[in-house]
Amino acid sequence: MRVVMFGYQTWGHRTLQALLESEHDVVLVVTHPKSEHAYEKIWSDSVAELAEENGVPVVIRNRPDDEELFQRLKEADADIIVANNWRTWIPPRIFNLPRHGTLNVHDSLLPKYAGFSPLIWALINGEPEVGVTAHLMDDELDAGDIVVQRAVTVGPTDTTTDLFHKTVDLIAPVTIGALDLIASGQTEFTRQDRSQASFFHKRAEEDIRIDWDWPADVLERLVRAQSAPYPAAFTFHKGKRLEVLSAVVSEGRYGGTPGRIFYREGDGVVIVAGADARTGRNHGLAITRVRTEEGHEMGATEYFTSMGGYLSSRP
């Protein structure tokens, strides 16, 4: 098939690479300009550079809503558009333009975790699996019929970085597998159960601020979700920002006020956690490694030279 690709960052790069290595013909690539957004500078392999290296025409757009682009797409005479990590709305006159419409590749197990940063949100929420879904685009975001979907297990110590590497390897087989089904003439695919749908917003500074009222197991997953190269989860100690680089759920149960710097346990320092911590039934969060406001990384037992005092969500 003749394919136009819309994509950005490493997800789009992997999709384009898979298309270039397939029997399909990539006739045009549309991608975004480089961004200074913290999350968009991560996994930022260039779709434009890969296209240019392979002699594929490239159009750079923030939004695909201008007449010049529409004419380019008409002239491309594509059988299908393939989109992965396109960051803005694609209007119906574009996604319905090709003979077979538009195949969107999304890094979640739709209908759950539509929208943005699905791996981070899924890890924080304790999902047992993550994955990649190829679906046909319709008027509702990430809601069209599923063509191919594949899952991987979330391990007990997996970080978002680990899950990225697991799922990015699924892009090629999911994308090409879906295109092969469509090219074979198949037109009936799996409808999404919209009663199971969830939609998540982009991550921002507020989303990585530690709230000590959260249970320790959720905070431990938040720390893993914000693993390098993502911005680290943070709290405040004595008015200064303190990033939590690694932590585990404590073995013991600790009662008291959330945020209290309480007890050395193994290589960590336990912080009381959970809105109902006063009951004494909660595990705490044992912080094992931190980074100070000045950029110094160290073990928690080195940083917390004495017990007592509090960590807080705000200075």
Side-chain angles (χ1 to χ4, degrees), residues 27-31 47-52 56-60 72:
V27 296
L28 182 68
V29 165
V30 186
T31 189
V47 170
E49 290 177 9
L50 179 60
E52 290 163 356
V56 180
V58 179
V59 178
I60 308 292
R72 290 285 298 272

Side-chain angles (χ1 to χ4, degrees), residues 75-209:
E75 292 165 6
D77 190 29
D79 294 302
I80 194 165
I81 291 172
V82 174
N84 191 347
N85 199 41
W86 181 261
R87 311 296 280 177
T88 56
W89 182 64
I90 298 177
R93 74 167 184 162
I94 289 181
F95 69 68
N96 286 324
L97 183 61
R99 283 175 272 283
H100 296 291
T102 295
L103 182 77
N104 185 51
V105 182
H106 182 70
D107 56 334
S108 84
L109 296 175
L110 293 175
K112 293 182 177 180
Y113 297 96
F116 299 90
S117 303
L119 294 179
I120 295 178
W121 290 112
L123 179 53
I124 292 170
N125 289 334
E127 297 291 349
E129 292 183 321
V130 294
V132 173
T133 303
H135 70 96
L136 293 171
M137 191 173 286
D138 63 12
D139 290 338
E140 191 174 352
L141 186 62
D142 293 335
D145 290 357
I146 294 170
V147 182
V148 174
Q149 184 176 80
R150 289 180 63 176
V152 291
T153 300
V154 178
T157 61
D158 276 346
T159 66
T160 300
T161 302
D162 296 324
L163 299 182
F164 166 81
H165 289 297
K166 287 184 180 183
T167 55
V168 79
D169 287 340
L170 298 178
I171 288 173
V174 167
T175 302
I176 303 307
L179 288 180
D180 290 347
L181 288 175
I182 293 167
S184 74
Q186 186 168 331
T187 57
E188 295 296 322
F189 301 106
T190 304
R191 294 185 66 84
Q192 293 193 40
D193 179 358
R194 302 308 297 159
S195 70
Q196 299 298 311
S198 56
F199 183 83
F200 285 82
H201 60 74
K202 289 182 180 180
R203 303 285 295 175
E205 178 89 349
E206 192 63 26
D207 302 305
I208 62 176
R209 185 190 305 274

Side-chain angles (χ1 to χ4, degrees), residues 28 36 38 46 49 51 57 68-69 72 108 124 153 158 171 177 188 209 215 218 240 255 260 272 285 291 293 297 306:
L28 182 68
E36 293 304 309
S46 174
E49 290 177 9
E68 179 187 353
L69 174 59
R72 290 285 298 272
S108 84
I124 292 170
T153 300
D158 276 346
I171 288 173
E188 295 296 322
R209 185 190 305 274
V218 180
K240 289 190 172 185
R260 177 73 174 189
V272 177
L285 184 72
R291 181 164 52 226
E293 194 169 88
E297 292 188 20
S306 61

Side-chain angles (χ1 to χ4, degrees), residues 123-126 209-224 247-250 252-254 258-259 270-279 281-286:
L123 179 53
I124 292 170
N125 289 334
R209 185 190 305 274
I210 292 174
D211 182 344
W212 293 104
D213 281 344
W214 287 15
D217 60 333
V218 180
L219 292 178
E220 186 269 342
R221 294 196 299 269
L222 172 64
V223 171
R224 282 193 283 129
V248 296
V249 177
S250 70
R253 298 176 186 271
Y254 299 87
V270 177
I271 312 301
V272 177
D276 59 345
R278 67 186 182 281
T279 65
R281 294 192 294 266
N282 290 5
H283 292 278
L285 184 72

